[in-house]
Amino acid sequence: VAAVGEMGLDADRVQFCAFETQEKFFELQLNLVEECELPMFLHMRAACTPFLDILKRNRKKWEGVGGVVHSFTDSLTDAEAILSEGLYIGLNGCSLKTEENLE
């Protein structure tokens, strides 16, 4: 096992899981990060503010191991906010499929 995840928030897929449920269990999953002392494999789509709020509230659980937000598709502002927290972003084909993403 190399990381804990995939975990996070996806405001574009609430038809599969209510956003409040996603928030609750994302926060609980951070306990596994602390317990296992493994990096995080994160998912975040259209939910940067609540995503970062949860991570900031729980920083002590993950600050020694860090993590990556995979398949990043949000804005440059969101990317900068994530990077400023000491996390990484992963880019792939989904990350670059629209003109807006390319900017």
Side-chain angles (χ1 to χ4, degrees), residues 2-5 7 29-42 55 58-69 85-88:
V4 175
M7 60 183 177
Q29 288 169 322
L30 293 172
N31 294 326
L32 292 172
V33 173
E34 181 177 40
E35 183 180 324
C36 297
E37 298 179 350
L38 290 170
M40 301 175 291
F41 187 65
L42 299 163
L55 287 172
N58 292 276
R59 179 176 293 283
K60 290 181 182 178
K61 295 178 182 177
W62 63 266
E63 67 185 343
V65 296
V68 62
V69 179
E85 293 301 322
L87 298 167
Y88 296 95

Side-chain angles (χ1 to χ4, degrees), residues 3-38:
V4 175
E6 172 179 345
M7 60 183 177
L9 301 176
D10 192 328
D12 285 345
R13 302 286 192 272
V14 294
Q15 70 272 26
F16 300 115
C17 183
F19 196 74
E20 296 77 21
T21 302
Q22 293 181 45
E23 290 176 305
K24 175 184 175 181
F25 285 95
F26 176 36
E27 192 145 14
L28 288 171
Q29 288 169 322
L30 293 172
N31 294 326
L32 292 172
V33 173
E34 181 177 40
E35 183 180 324
C36 297
E37 298 179 350
L38 290 170

Side-chain angles (χ1 to χ4, degrees), residues 74-77 80 95-96 98-103:
D74 286 61
S75 69
L76 176 60
T77 301
E80 291 169 342
S95 307
L96 307 172
T98 68
E99 285 294 323
E100 183 181 5
N101 291 129
L102 291 173
E103 292 175 10

